Amino acid sequence: MTDDLPPAAKPAKPSFPLPPLVDQLTDTHGYPRLDGADDQPWRGDSDTWVVFLPGHGKGNGETADVAVILPELVRVLSPHLKPAVAGPAAEQALLARAGMMSLPALLFLRGDAVLGSIPRVRDWTDYLERIAAILIGPEAPASRLQ
């Protein structure tokens, strides 16, 4: 016998598909899909972008919920937000830039700045309060966005 045997390979983590509701954001609502790690439409833009990080391959049940909530947030907060959906490469690049966070998440960007994020599903009031704090400042009431 020899001790030179290769180490056992780690089993690959299963990869789960995204819910169809994520595709509806791009197909039905017309949100841009950011496929490449260099897709950054907010750079040089004075508008605020909200990028949906769905958690590619994670199989999180909250992804579908956030995919339903995002169009409502965009509708209510129009014209304050420009939405987009991150593909796998863009999601990884944004996570590397913004720091690891629980997914799914909404990431807010303007110009070259990461303004903040909202991970996981929240109740409606919490979304509005957090977005107001991200866009206007921590002491801002959510009513200033409406």
Side-chain angles (χ1 to χ4, degrees), residues 18 22 33-39 42 51-59 63 85-107:
L18 293 176
V22 175
R33 183 184 315 271
L34 310 176
D35 288 318
D38 294 332
D39 288 350
W42 52 87
V51 180
F52 179 34
L53 308 177
H56 290 275
K58 306 286 187 220
T63 297
V85 178
E91 183 175 84
Q92 288 306 310
L94 287 168
L95 287 171
R97 181 172 177 212
M100 297 306 286
M101 64 188 81
S102 296
L103 297 178
L106 300 176
L107 186 63

Side-chain angles (χ1 to χ4, degrees), residues 28-109:
T28 303
H29 295 285
Y31 296 177
R33 183 184 315 271
L34 310 176
D35 288 318
D38 294 332
D39 288 350
Q40 300 175 14
W42 52 87
R43 291 210 171 226
D45 191 343
S46 61
D47 292 327
T48 301
W49 285 75
V50 57
V51 180
F52 179 34
L53 308 177
H56 290 275
K58 306 286 187 220
N60 189 318
E62 291 183 356
T63 297
D65 295 333
V66 177
V68 170
I69 293 165
L70 180 58
E72 290 303 308
L73 288 170
V74 170
R75 183 183 60 78
V76 168
L77 299 174
S78 179
H80 298 289
L81 298 175
K82 285 186 175 179
V85 178
E91 183 175 84
Q92 288 306 310
L94 287 168
L95 287 171
R97 181 172 177 212
M100 297 306 286
M101 64 188 81
S102 296
L103 297 178
L106 300 176
L107 186 63
F108 297 83
L109 304 115

